[in-house]
Amino acid sequence: MKVLVTGSEGFIGKNMTAFLGRQPFWQVDGYDWHPKDWPDVRDYDWVVHLGAVADQTETDVEKVMVQNYDFSCYLFYECNRHGVNLQYASSSTVYGNTNKRRI
């Protein structure tokens, strides 16, 4: 099994890459964001997409759109086109009422 983990330098990505890398007969590669070098997914069985701009104070809307939306769409279409399984996860932020007093 050959797996690509995006966001492999983040907390969840590092742990996922390490866990999957311990599985017998699995080859696991990590990918961390680079604006001009998006991964070629053709040689993989699975892509686990964990990478994103998670900083809620980020003010560069273009950066967030390219890294979070455009890149995710790219992975979806490329995986679909080449018959690669895609596992998408988003777990960095929980939204809710931000006006409540924190204790």
Side-chain angles (χ1 to χ4, degrees):
M1 173 85 59
K2 191 170 179 187
V3 180
L4 175 67
V5 178
T6 69
S8 60
E9 292 300 311
F11 177 77
I12 297 170
K14 279 184 183 180
N15 285 283
M16 177 65 77
T17 301
F19 173 78
L20 294 176
R22 290 191 298 270
Q23 306 311 305
F25 312 109
W26 285 33
Q27 177 186 334
V28 180
D29 296 326
Y31 171 83
D32 207 52
W33 176 254
H34 188 282
K36 295 181 181 176
D37 188 23
W38 290 9
D40 183 351
V41 302
R42 286 180 284 189
D43 293 332
Y44 293 96
D45 300 302
W46 280 92
V47 172
V48 179
H49 182 35
L50 302 173
V53 175
D55 182 359
Q56 295 301 300
T57 63
E58 178 61 62
T59 59
D60 185 342
V61 175
E62 181 68 19
K63 174 183 175 180
V64 173
M65 289 302 294
V66 169
Q67 287 185 242
N68 291 8
Y69 180 74
D70 294 344
F71 183 59
S72 296
C73 288
Y74 165 81
L75 289 174
F76 173 79
Y77 289 117
E78 287 299 298
C79 286
N80 190 46
R81 187 172 122 189
H82 298 292
V84 176
N85 296 295
L86 174 65
Q87 180 70 47
Y88 178 87
S90 178
S91 62
S92 67
T93 306
V94 176
Y95 297 94
N97 184 350
T98 58
N99 294 324
K100 288 187 179 180
R101 189 175 132 213
R102 298 190 191 265
I103 300 174

